[in-house]
Amino acid sequence: PELVIKKGDVVLVPLDDVDRTKVDGGNLIGVVVSTNKLNSTCKVAVKHGLLHRAYVYHHVKPVPEASNNIDLHDLREAFENY
């Protein structure tokens, strides 16, 4: 699992249907701030703070290499100050 998702990677977190409207996107973009190898989970921070729950690796989707940059998505502050 650590080969797929590692600390500092930009990922897409799927939103539940109850948390969005019809015009909202289906994903929330964030950066991985910690990983737990024992449970195969990771914690994700977004621009406005740390997401409450830990996500299993197969629920988050890594952003492709070309755009997997925390500065490009303005997530540097979230990564450093989570």
Side-chain angles (χ1 to χ4, degrees), residues 15-21:
L15 292 173
D16 292 329
D17 288 337
V18 296
D19 294 331
R20 63 187 176 111
T21 63

Side-chain angles (χ1 to χ4, degrees), residues 12 16 20 24 31 48 53-54 56 58 60 68:
L12 296 173
D16 292 329
R20 63 187 176 111
D24 286 335
V31 62
H48 299 287
R53 62 179 275 213
V56 180
H58 66 272
V60 295
N68 196 336

Side-chain angles (χ1 to χ4, degrees), residues 33-64:
V33 292
S34 68
T35 58
N36 184 338
K37 294 178 188 173
L38 181 64
N39 297 333
S40 296
T41 60
C42 62
K43 294 289 265 182
V44 178
V46 294
K47 287 183 184 180
H48 299 287
L50 185 67
L51 297 180
H52 181 68
R53 62 179 275 213
Y55 291 91
V56 180
Y57 291 136
H58 66 272
H59 280 172
V60 295
K61 183 174 156 184
V63 174

Side-chain angles (χ1 to χ4, degrees), residues 5-13 28-35 42-47 49-51 55 60 63 68-71 73-82:
I5 303 288
K6 59 187 181 299
K7 188 175 176 179
D9 280 351
V10 178
V11 293
L12 296 173
V13 179
L28 185 64
I29 194 158
V31 62
V32 175
V33 292
S34 68
T35 58
C42 62
K43 294 289 265 182
V44 178
V46 294
K47 287 183 184 180
L50 185 67
L51 297 180
Y55 291 91
V60 295
V63 174
N68 196 336
N69 184 338
I70 60 177
D71 293 321
H73 295 287
D74 196 25
L75 294 169
R76 173 72 61 187
E77 187 175 334
F79 179 67
E80 293 174 352
N81 300 325
Y82 75 92

